[in-house]
Amino acid sequence: MMRPARALLPLLLLPVLLTGCDADKNGGTAADSADLDAAARVWGVAPELVYVTRVSGYTVFQQSVGEYDDEFVAAYRSEKRATKFGLFVGRGTLTAESCPKQPLGEVSDRQVTCERDGDAWYRKAGGSHEYAVPDDGVVIHLIADADKVDRAILRRAAEAVHRPDDTELAALLPTTDGADT
C-alpha cells in the first residue's frame, strides 16, 4: 500500500465521517467539515473531491486552486526551479481495463500506457506522465510534463495524497488582507 493505514477516529468524529471527511492518510486530523464544505462551495466543487499532497521543495500555487471540468484542481510549483505538477481529483474508478482507455489530462489523442505501482497507476502519454490514485470513488491525478518533473517526484506526491487538515485547507484559500483587489 502506498499510504499508511488510516487512524481510527473516536465516535465523537462520526458526524465528520458521514459528511465525507476523515483522518488524512498521513495521520493528521482532516479539516472541520463545515470549513471544508464552505471552501468547496467557494471553489464550486464537492467537498469529497478536495485533496492535497506534500512534496519537499513544492508548494501549492493558491491562484490555481479551484474547479475545472467538475474536478478539484491545484497546481504545485517548485520553490527553486521553474517546474510544476497538477493535482486533479474527480469522481470515477481506474482499473487495469479502463486505465489505458482514459485520456491523460489534455492528451486525448495519444496512446496511454499504464503500469501498476502499489495502489496507484503510473501512466504516460505523449510528453506527459502521471500517477493516478483511486480512493473511495474518486481518482486523484498527479500530472506533469515528463521532461520537467521526474517520476520520483510524482510518486512521492501520490504517496502523500490525503484530505487536508485545517492548516492545509487555509493554505489553499486566498489570503485576505482587507485591501481591495
Side-chain angles (χ1 to χ4, degrees):
M1 181 163 202
M2 291 186 66
R3 294 164 283 160
R6 293 182 181 161
L8 295 175
L9 295 175
L11 285 176
L12 294 175
L13 293 179
L14 188 56
V16 174
L17 288 170
L18 294 175
T19 59
C21 297
D22 59 355
D24 79 35
K25 294 174 179 63
N26 291 330
T29 302
D32 176 83
S33 64
D35 292 341
L36 185 57
D37 288 350
R41 272 193 306 279
V42 167
W43 296 315
V45 299
E48 63 270 15
L49 298 180
V50 181
Y51 281 75
V52 294
T53 191
R54 291 184 196 115
V55 178
S56 179
Y58 284 80
T59 57
V60 71
F61 181 57
Q62 277 184 338
Q63 292 85 346
S64 72
V65 178
E67 182 270 339
Y68 179 76
D69 279 349
D70 295 324
E71 294 184 329
F72 175 75
V73 62
Y76 288 77
R77 62 183 174 187
S78 171
E79 296 164 358
K80 296 184 181 187
R81 299 178 316 192
T83 63
K84 64 184 176 188
F85 65 86
L87 177 143
F88 295 82
V89 185
R91 289 186 178 83
T93 59
L94 202 57
T95 64
E97 185 178 325
S98 68
C99 185
K101 296 175 185 174
Q102 294 185 19
L104 194 153
E106 298 293 321
V107 184
S108 60
D109 62 339
R110 299 288 180 100
Q111 172 77 29
V112 176
T113 61
C114 299
E115 174 188 330
R116 191 74 172 163
D117 190 349
D119 288 343
W121 292 95
Y122 176 67
R123 298 169 16 105
K124 295 188 293 185
S128 297
H129 65 154
E130 77 171 11
Y131 266 89
V133 183
D135 186 40
D136 278 339
V138 301
V139 180
I140 302 106
H141 298 270
L142 300 135
I143 186 169
D145 183 326
D147 293 335
K148 295 183 180 175
V149 177
D150 68 29
R151 179 176 175 170
I153 290 171
L154 287 183
R155 187 172 203 288
R156 285 194 301 271
E159 290 170 340
V161 163
H162 60 280
R163 304 285 288 168
D165 64 24
D166 289 329
T167 302
E168 292 166 324
L169 184 60
L172 296 176
L173 295 168
T175 56
T176 56
D177 60 8
D180 293 332
T181 53

